[in-house]
Amino acid sequence: MTRLQRTRRLACTLAATALATAGLSGTAAHATQAAPQSAAPEIGVQFNPDGDGGQCTGATGQQWAASPDWTPAIRIDTDNRPGGCQLAFGIYDPDRTLAGASISYTFLPSSDDASGQCGNYQGTYPVPIKRFRTFGQTVRIDSDNRPGFCNLTFNVSGRDDVGLDVQFYADGDAGQCGSADHPPLPKDQYQTAYDGNPVTISIDTDGRGGGCQLMLRVQRF
């Protein structure tokens, strides 16, 4: 073997060793490419006062949280002061990871006598699941010292691997944030709405001390 042949063979051996060490052979490069990651869906809350701003505090305006994060807490403390709180929900799902799922919210008074505390838009409305950020129908909370309260129910259907976590807790008198049928949970505990299992919270804020805080999280099981 000539010197030139030995030099070429050595150069080829060194090049092959370097490629193998770096994992850059043609076969390895294709095998180690990461699969594209889907963008996580986001749950959105829109929360605004339409009177005395002290009744609707915490994260006011529009707030979005990507799964598995919680939305920042909104604080409801409506009472006999003027005005109430406007509330709406939406889901931003740019890669359609929740395709086939439906989420809705129902807002109703606990009785006919309480109708005036729960605004004009009482009923069931879809949470829009879109590739752009938008919100569903706005509902209005104006619970006060009048008898009765408002029930807000979240429902999930269409898929058994999608859930909506609901954290709703009192920061004062717990009687303002629940009812006999739907008692409040302590802070950091939550209920999950999933297919066939709705979650209802009762809002009965009035002149008693404290208010109620609400946080949401969308997830796949």
Side-chain angles (χ1 to χ4, degrees), residues 4 44 64 73 79 177:
L4 178 58
W64 294 89
D79 48 32
C177 312

Side-chain angles (χ1 to χ4, degrees), residues 19 25 62 82 84 121 146 186:
L19 286 171
S25 69
Q62 296 185 12
Y121 291 97
R146 290 171 288 180

